[in-house]
Amino acid sequence: MITSLLDTDLYKFTMSSCYFLLYRSAEGTFRFDDRDREEYDERFISLLKERLCELEKLRLTQEEKAFLATIRFLPTNYIEWLETFRFDANRIKIRLDGERHLQIEVTDLMYKATLYEVPLLAVVSSCIHLWRGDRIDEKAMMSRLDKKIDFALENRLMFSEFGTRRRFSFAVHNAVCSRLRERASEVCVGTSNVFLAWKNGMKPSGTMAHEWIQFHQGIYGFKSANLLALDAWSNVFGGDLGTALIDTFTTASFLHTLTMKQAKLFDGMRQDSGNEFEIGDMIIEKYKACGIDPLTKTIVFSNALDFEKYKLIADYFRGRIKVSAGIGTNLTCDTRPEGIKPANIVMKLSRCRYSAHDFWEDVIKISDDAGKHLGKGKLFRQAVDDLHLRELGVKIDEAD
């Protein structure tokens, strides 16, 4: 259940405001992907459509608007526009394909289309659990959460809560954030969910997603995407929100085109795929090559983490570079030992264009994990060649 426009991740508003300010005529299509290829039925589709129609009722209230105004980097004119925004259920195209896999697409102006992603994923995730008849033992879940908090406090593991997209339900998510605020404020630096940050007195956290770099690939091409995306970001935020996402076209490619100015301006980088230890070492070497002390920078790790794995990472980099983490599903859909399977779902930008007068351009993602690639075929092979990924030592599965 989504009951507020703010029940989404902060980076949806930051990216939406960038499109609003810099690319107001740009359009895009977001496409849903169930990585587990689950099969659904018409009962599920009916439930999902019913819940998604409720999004149309959402309005930015004056209290919510006042809270957004306290987030210093959100432009005032963007917040004024957001007060007029309404979700349009007619733009959400839902169907089952021939193999009964769920297909969802949304097409709109980029500054509007991006706002659909996280609420849609949260609704789909909760509907999956309702459809399955899943039940969660909240007492047991909170007991496990307390053990995680104790572990994080004992080991001084700084983290943010990133669990909106694949949460079990809003009620579970709210309970998790309330407990984090109550017991983990020394190590939990915030939540990505703007509504729950507001309601629980937490800091909203987040910067950019892969779509921001993918959009620049569609508009300007592979070679310029990372560089121009970071420059456009810093032009809007002027040094604020300084964590760069590095793995849209592999970390090796990102570091290859990273300028010294960008390395100095951005506070750090977010690692979302690949081997954390190898990639962290690559980042440290890049900073050293730019004459930058790595201890002045931060790596935010966010690739399907639990706290035990995060501790191994933190110990490895201790005294070499600052580390933090975004932890999502492990907090908001940890159903062990009940055996309930969290949804493995994403919704990514699939195409874009600068304006309605331009051609549509497909966009892809070449992750540091093959399982997170988006796109294949001719465009994928073109990207491999344009970005010199073979020369950079990156192994790519190019199978159609």
Side-chain angles (χ1 to χ4, degrees), residues 95-321:
R95 64 181 178 88
L96 293 179
D97 65 18
E99 297 178 317
R100 310 198 71 76
H101 299 145
L102 180 61
Q103 305 292 327
I104 305 176
E105 281 191 356
V106 174
T107 299
D108 206 337
L109 293 167
M110 281 298 301
Y111 65 91
K112 296 180 182 180
T114 189
L115 296 175
Y116 284 77
E117 177 203 346
V118 171
L120 280 177
L121 290 173
V123 170
V124 170
S125 181
S126 63
C127 283
I128 287 172
H129 295 298
L130 281 172
W131 173 68
R132 290 175 180 164
D134 293 339
R135 297 290 184 269
I136 193 167
D137 184 338
E138 187 169 332
K139 183 177 179 180
M141 186 198 72
M142 297 306 284
S143 176
R144 291 193 296 275
L145 176 60
D146 282 333
K147 292 178 181 177
K148 295 171 189 176
I149 292 171
D150 291 340
F151 187 82
L153 288 168
E154 178 184 353
N155 293 283
R156 306 302 300 168
L157 299 174
M158 310 301 292
F159 70 96
S160 292
E161 183 278 311
F162 275 18
T164 303
R165 296 176 302 157
R166 299 172 193 141
R167 66 193 184 191
F168 184 85
S169 67
F170 173 81
V172 167
H173 195 181
N174 186 43
V176 167
C177 285
S178 296
R179 187 63 62 90
L180 291 174
R181 177 69 178 92
E182 175 188 338
R183 295 203 55 234
S185 58
E186 293 179 32
V187 289
C188 181
V189 299
T191 172
S192 62
N193 188 287
V194 181
F195 181 78
L196 293 177
W198 175 39
K199 289 301 181 181
N200 290 285
M202 301 170 74
K203 180 181 177 181
S205 59
T207 53
M208 68 182 72
H210 297 100
E211 74 174 77
W212 181 246
I213 295 92
Q214 289 177 288
F215 170 78
H216 287 81
Q217 172 243 299
I219 301 303
Y220 299 115
F222 295 105
K223 291 183 177 180
S224 302
N226 277 310
L227 187 147
L228 293 180
L230 293 194
D231 280 351
W233 191 263
S234 60
N235 287 340
V236 172
F237 295 115
D240 229 329
L241 294 173
T243 302
L245 185 56
I246 60 178
D247 68 330
T248 307
F249 304 116
T250 75
T251 298
S253 176
F254 175 89
L255 295 177
H256 182 67
T257 61
L258 184 71
T259 67
M260 182 175 293
K261 176 183 176 181
Q262 291 170 339
K264 290 186 175 182
L265 176 62
F266 280 78
D267 300 319
M269 305 180 191
R270 178 160 75 91
Q271 183 270 348
D272 196 51
S273 63
N275 182 292
E276 289 84 357
F277 306 98
E278 294 176 1
I279 289 172
D281 285 340
M282 291 166 57
I283 292 170
I284 288 172
E285 289 307 310
K286 179 66 176 184
Y287 281 134
K288 289 180 177 178
C290 291
I292 298 170
D293 181 357
L295 285 171
T296 65
K297 301 293 183 177
T298 301
I299 304 176
V300 180
F301 295 94
S302 62
N303 185 20
L305 290 182
D306 57 35
F307 285 90
E308 289 75 15
K309 181 178 180 181
Y310 178 30
K311 182 181 183 300
L312 295 176
I313 295 167
D315 287 345
Y316 180 80
F317 290 107
R318 199 176 308 279
R320 301 174 62 204
I321 194 168

Side-chain angles (χ1 to χ4, degrees), residues 376-395:
K376 56 185 179 180
K378 182 178 179 181
L379 188 62
F380 200 87
R381 289 190 292 272
Q382 178 188 335
V384 170
D385 292 336
D386 286 356
L387 297 172
H388 305 288
L389 296 183
R390 295 184 184 85
E391 289 85 341
L392 292 172
V394 177
K395 295 180 180 179

